[in-house]
């Protein structure tokens, strides 16, 4: 019955053009994504959702597993939540999960989905209703559901969204590993994974996943359903990122930067976009601007972690092309090694020099490595890479006696194994050793093929954070990165280049 009491001929209504057009629209996901949903604006207003340029490009390039190192505020989190909402409402039995760095952030994302659903037309919500709803879980009458948290275990999600994985990887490595092994691996090959984050340096699970995915893209490798596809969308894809160009002075440095973007990456910015970027650069500085608003994918690898000791030196080395290139060793020069032996990890660098410039040509570390194992690795590199050795620089504790080995020093034990260690005296002030390493890095080239892990260790060697004062201290964090940094400091403090004889 209609409101005026007259009988409605449902068959006739269903055969009408309006009904058929509406039915066709609801079946068309492309139409739904640009016309059906509502979101909250940054000011909290209810506004219709329509994909922006970056979101539309991403939708056309999506894969089973997707990794997105992104510029800030391009709307990827919002878009992924719309995709989840659409999947749950229009597909029965769709199980979805959202993982974020804090529970509050995860709950906020579930709120986006709930808001989008609440603003759907009544005719859709009448057919697919919410049967269970709380801050961490939504379930629909068609059997679809989405849950949120800081981890995800115990289910097989068809869609998994991992947000701010870069921040998680740097701040809580154990949590990042748990997400990778517990949540991501739970998604079947037919499912979809979205891992997105702003960049937080070249350490941790997110960085490794990004580097692996980018390497596959760069070499044109065919992806399997379990491989992550690399996506990158620069800040310039957001139309709002612009300022009146008559109010901002573009420095000569920035003019050259914009010319390079156009020539090398075909990124051509208008004057208002340049003014916006200049303003961000002046306010945030080089590293933070690249972290928050990268222009191209290569810039992701030019930044280091906040509080990193060698942040400036490594960023400069990348800019100069001294990191990221193949660096074959010079067979006419002898090879040195720099050591650090810890109770949990041993780290070694292989090094050549012309007396001024340095080549770091190999790096190796192993957890729980023994002195015997280290000496064996030195010999293996001699055989496999035809290294001819000069000196082996070890830390001061190589002179300590090992009472479990007939009270011999580590230096004596190494010599019996064929390695004559030059013991570098202890540097009482750690800051002096760090400064020596900084000067060393400024004159160093790092082989992309053999020292990538070592460079990662240097980039993530960072200062301790004082929560009470809200500042970084001068003391280093002792973690997996400290051994690679300490071994380089051993070389930086101990290496004594040969002087020409008169």
């Amino acid at each position: 019955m209609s409101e005026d009491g007259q009988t409605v001929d449902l068959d006739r209504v269903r055969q009408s053009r309006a009904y058929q057009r509406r039915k066709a629209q609801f079946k068309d996901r492309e139409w739904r994504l640009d016309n059906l949903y509502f979101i909250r604006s940054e000011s909290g207003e209810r506004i219709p959702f329509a994909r922006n340029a970056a979101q539309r490009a991403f939708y056309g390039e999506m894969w089973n597993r997707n990794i997105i190192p992104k510029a800030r505020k391009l709307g990827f989190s919002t878009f992924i939540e719309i995709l989840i909402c659409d999947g749950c409402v229009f597909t029965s039995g769709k199980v979805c999960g959202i993982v974020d760095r804090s529970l509050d952030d995860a709950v906020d994302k579930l709120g986006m989905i709930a808001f989008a659903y609440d603003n759907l037309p009544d005719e859709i919500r009448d057919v697919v209703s919410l049967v269970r709803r709380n801050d961490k879980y939504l379930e629909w009458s068609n059997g679809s559901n989405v849950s949120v948290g800081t981890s995800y275990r115990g289910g097989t999600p068809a869609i998994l969204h991992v947000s701010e994985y870069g921040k998680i990887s740097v701040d809580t490595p154990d949590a990042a590993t748990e997400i990778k092994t517990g949540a991501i691996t739970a998604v079947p090959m037919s499912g979809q994974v979205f891992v997105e984050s702003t960049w937080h340096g070249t350490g941790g699970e997110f960085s490794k996943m990004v580097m692996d995915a980018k390497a596959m893209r760069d070499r044109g490798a065919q992806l399997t359903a379990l491989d992550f596809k690399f996506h990158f969308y620069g800040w310039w894809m957001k139309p709002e990122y612009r300022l009146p160009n008559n109010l901002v002075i573009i420095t000569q440095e920035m003019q050259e930067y914009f010319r390079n973007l156009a020539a090398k990456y075909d990124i051509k910015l208008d004057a208002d976009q340049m003014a916006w970027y200049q303003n961000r650069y002046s306010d945030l500085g080089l590293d933070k601007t690249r972290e928050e608003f990268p222009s191209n994918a290569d810039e992701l690898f030019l930044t280091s972690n906040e509080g990193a000791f060698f942040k400036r030196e490594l960023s400069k080395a990348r800019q100069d092309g001294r990191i990221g290139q193949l660096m074959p060793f010079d067979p006419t020069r002898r090879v040195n090694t720099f050591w650090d032996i810890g109770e949990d990890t041993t780290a070694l660098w292989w090094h050549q020099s012309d007396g001024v410039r340095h080549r770091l040509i190999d790096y190796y570390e192993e957890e729980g490595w023994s002195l015997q194992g280290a000496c064996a690795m030195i010999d293996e590199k001699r055989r496999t890479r035809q290294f001819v050795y000069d000196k082996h620089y070890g830390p001061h504790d190589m002179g300590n006696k090992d009472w479990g080995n007939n009270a011999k020093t580590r230096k004596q034990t190494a010599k019996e194994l064929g390695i004559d260690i030059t013991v570098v005296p202890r540097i009482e002030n750690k800051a002096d050793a760090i400064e020596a390493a900084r000067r060393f890095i400024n004159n160093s080239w790092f082989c992309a093929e053999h020292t990538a892990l070592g460079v990662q260790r240097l980039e993530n060697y960072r200062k301790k954070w004082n929560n009470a004062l809200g500042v970084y201290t001068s003391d280093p964090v002792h973690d997996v990165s400290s051994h690679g940094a300490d071994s380089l400091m051993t070389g930086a403090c101990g290496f004594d280049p040969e002087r020409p004889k008169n």
Side-chain angles (χ1 to χ4, degrees):
M1 298 284 290
S2 65
E3 291 182 358
D4 59 5
Q6 296 182 353
T7 302
V8 176
D9 186 344
L10 292 179
D11 288 338
R12 187 172 181 180
V13 169
R14 289 172 182 147
Q15 293 172 8
S16 68
R17 288 185 178 180
Y19 180 89
Q20 292 298 324
R21 181 169 60 251
R22 187 74 160 165
K23 184 178 178 181
Q25 288 173 338
F26 287 166
K27 286 184 177 181
D28 183 353
R29 197 183 193 197
E30 290 270 0
W31 181 90
R32 297 197 307 263
L33 291 176
D34 286 330
N35 298 276
L36 193 58
Y37 295 100
F38 284 82
I39 60 173
R40 285 193 180 96
S41 68
E42 293 182 11
S43 60
E45 297 176 288
R46 175 183 179 271
I47 59 172
F49 174 81
R51 290 170 292 178
N52 61 31
Q55 294 163 347
R56 188 174 291 278
F58 172 65
Y59 184 76
E61 298 167 352
M62 284 194 310
W63 186 244
N64 299 64
R65 279 156 169 74
N66 304 276
I67 192 159
I68 317 164
K70 62 179 186 179
R72 187 167 291 281
K73 297 295 185 182
L74 289 182
F76 280 103
S77 290
T78 300
F79 182 46
I80 294 168
E81 304 337 333
I82 293 295
L83 288 174
I84 290 175
C85 182
D86 188 82
C88 287
V89 171
F90 287 91
T91 307
S92 297
K94 181 78 75 174
V95 177
C96 305
I98 299 172
V99 176
D100 212 324
R101 63 192 179 110
S102 76
L103 185 57
D104 286 344
D105 290 331
V107 168
D108 285 345
K109 289 179 172 58
L110 189 66
M112 296 181 193
I113 296 174
F115 185 86
Y117 172 79
D118 288 341
N119 284 274
L120 285 173
D122 291 345
E123 57 195 294
I124 293 177
R125 290 188 291 113
D126 287 345
V127 174
V128 184
S129 59
L130 271 174
V131 296
R132 185 178 169 193
R133 177 177 189 159
N134 59 48
D135 286 346
K136 303 174 187 176
Y137 187 77
L138 297 175
E139 184 177 353
W140 285 267
S141 58
N142 64 359
S144 294
N145 66 74
V146 54
S147 58
V148 303
T150 55
S151 63
Y152 190 99
R153 272 197 181 271
T156 306
I159 301 177
L160 177 70
H161 176 199
V162 181
S163 186
E164 286 304 327
Y165 196 45
K167 184 70 171 171
I168 297 169
S169 297
V170 170
D171 290 348
T172 52
D174 289 344
T177 301
E178 167 70 14
I179 291 168
K180 181 178 180 179
T181 58
I184 294 175
T185 58
V187 180
M189 288 193 292
S190 59
Q192 282 190 300
V193 180
F194 302 97
V195 179
E196 50 83 14
S197 179
T198 48
W199 192 247
H200 291 275
T202 58
E205 294 288 355
F206 180 68
S207 171
K208 183 179 184 304
M209 290 167 64
V210 168
M211 290 179 179
D212 290 347
K214 184 175 183 296
M216 293 189 75
R217 186 202 68 172
D218 291 347
R219 67 173 182 265
Q222 185 172 353
L223 301 179
T224 72
L226 293 177
D227 292 319
F228 273 89
K229 184 173 183 178
F230 177 84
H231 303 269
F232 176 81
Y233 306 95
W235 64 268
W236 42 269
M237 295 192 76
K238 188 175 177 72
E240 292 83 0
Y241 285 165
R242 55 202 317 114
L243 286 174
N245 65 82
N246 62 314
L247 301 180
V248 179
I249 296 174
I250 308 298
T251 65
Q252 186 173 349
E253 176 188 13
M254 278 294 98
Q255 291 177 31
E256 178 60 31
Y257 171 74
F258 294 138
R259 282 194 290 268
N260 182 65
L261 283 182
K264 187 175 181 180
Y265 299 98
D266 198 31
I267 298 173
K268 298 172 184 177
L269 307 176
D270 61 39
D272 288 352
Q273 288 175 306
M274 293 180 188
W276 182 90
Y277 189 85
Q278 174 72 69
N279 177 276
R280 294 295 79 209
Y281 180 88
S282 299
D283 185 40
L284 300 175
L286 174 63
D287 280 341
K288 202 64 178 177
T289 302
R290 282 177 171 165
E291 178 182 309
E292 299 286 338
F293 306 106
S295 298
N296 58 78
D298 291 340
E299 288 184 3
L300 297 171
F301 308 100
L302 295 177
T303 61
S304 299
N305 285 334
E306 196 69 28
F309 281 104
F310 306 127
K311 181 175 182 175
R312 183 180 303 171
E313 291 75 23
L314 293 170
S315 289
K316 183 67 164 59
R318 287 191 184 277
Q319 283 181 284
D320 294 345
R322 292 183 284 115
I323 294 175
Q325 307 295 326
L326 292 177
M327 187 61 57
F329 83 98
D330 183 348
T332 68
R333 296 188 183 276
R334 290 179 176 268
V335 176
N336 306 298
T337 61
F338 304 155
W339 295 50
D340 180 71
I341 295 183
E343 294 182 0
D344 51 351
T345 302
T346 297
L348 292 172
W349 287 92
W350 281 260
H351 159 266
Q352 289 184 303
S353 176
D354 61 7
V356 177
R357 293 164 296 186
H358 307 287
R359 289 185 178 197
L360 282 307
I361 55 175
D362 215 326
Y363 176 83
Y364 193 84
E365 68 177 43
E366 187 168 322
E367 185 177 353
W369 217 13
S370 65
L371 181 60
Q372 290 78 8
C375 292
M377 180 55 64
I378 294 287
D379 188 58
E380 181 178 327
K381 294 292 183 181
R382 176 189 62 78
R383 290 183 288 103
T384 58
R385 299 199 64 191
Q386 285 78 54
F387 289 162
V388 177
Y389 289 117
D390 187 9
K391 293 183 179 180
H392 305 281
Y393 295 90
H396 67 93
D397 53 8
M398 294 290 285
N400 295 348
K401 290 184 177 181
D402 185 352
W403 297 102
N405 190 27
N406 297 319
K408 293 179 182 178
T409 65
R410 291 175 176 177
K411 174 180 170 65
Q412 290 172 323
T413 302
K415 191 166 185 177
E416 292 176 357
L417 295 169
I419 306 297
D420 188 6
I421 300 291
T422 298
V423 177
V424 178
R426 181 184 180 91
I427 306 299
E428 295 300 330
N429 189 343
K430 189 71 171 182
D432 292 338
I434 292 171
E435 187 57 36
R438 284 171 171 155
R439 293 194 297 269
F440 196 90
I441 292 170
N442 282 335
N443 290 299
S444 295
W445 280 253
F446 296 82
C447 177
E449 181 178 359
H450 297 286
T451 70
L453 179 59
V455 170
Q456 188 180 121
R457 297 302 187 230
L458 296 178
E459 290 188 307
N460 290 281
Y461 182 61
R462 62 196 189 280
K463 305 171 186 177
K464 289 183 179 177
W465 177 257
N466 187 312
N467 285 321
L469 299 177
V471 297
Y472 287 102
T473 71
S474 59
D475 298 325
V477 174
H478 181 76
D479 62 6
V480 68
S481 295
S482 58
H483 299 288
D486 283 341
S487 57
L488 188 78
M489 280 184 252
T490 296
C493 294
F495 175 67
D496 185 18
E498 292 184 7
R499 308 296 179 188
K501 295 181 181 179
N502 294 327

